[in-house]
Amino acid sequence: MDTNTENKACNCFTETLNRVKEHLTEQGKIPADAIDVSFGWQGQTYMLSGGQYAPVNPKIEVKFRAAKKSGGHARNLTKNELSIVASHCCYCGREYQRDNG
Ligand SMILES: [Zn+2]
């Protein structure tokens, strides 16, 4: 059994989500008679590999107008996006422990 609490993953994202849910419910932003109420981080990523990860990671959007062989540049933007895996929790600053083994 692992007793090293330093390496234990934090629950910041889950706690924050629960806090927001409670707050919105208390404020009456979600009607008491509503059904199918669902809360979740937008853009949540699921990691298949082991280790600790934030459920949401920063995304980088890349856009450019490529040069055409005939001269000039393409009318349409070429777009791409990629996620950068966060190394630390954005709430408590704890470094995520990666399972590289
Ligand atoms: Zn945290």
Side-chain angles (χ1 to χ4, degrees):
M1 189 181 158
D2 187 7
T3 52
N4 187 351
T5 52
E6 287 295 305
N7 288 335
K8 204 165 165 254
C10 63
N11 263 331
C12 296
F13 279 90
T14 305
E15 286 165 10
T16 300
L17 199 62
N18 288 338
R19 244 189 342 264
V20 169
K21 185 177 181 174
E22 281 166 23
H23 179 74
L24 292 179
T25 305
E26 281 166 16
Q27 299 283 307
K29 304 281 188 200
I30 294 151
D33 53 359
I35 63 164
D36 295 338
V37 178
S38 150
F39 279 82
W41 293 100
Q42 198 172 46
Q44 182 159 355
T45 48
Y46 295 93
M47 297 291 182
L48 295 174
S49 53
Q52 303 164 11
Y53 295 95
V56 189
N57 287 290
K59 273 188 179 165
I60 293 174
E61 185 180 59
V62 184
K63 292 187 214 171
F64 59 88
R65 230 179 275 278
K68 294 196 288 189
K69 279 178 185 159
S70 56
H73 287 83
R75 179 191 288 266
N76 297 322
L77 283 168
T78 300
K79 296 180 189 172
N80 200 358
E81 65 172 47
L82 55 142
S83 286
I84 302 298
V85 174
S87 57
H88 293 68
C89 175
C90 66
Y91 291 105
C92 71
R94 186 187 293 271
E95 185 172 11
Y96 292 119
Q97 303 298 312
R98 299 295 156 71
D99 182 9
N100 293 323

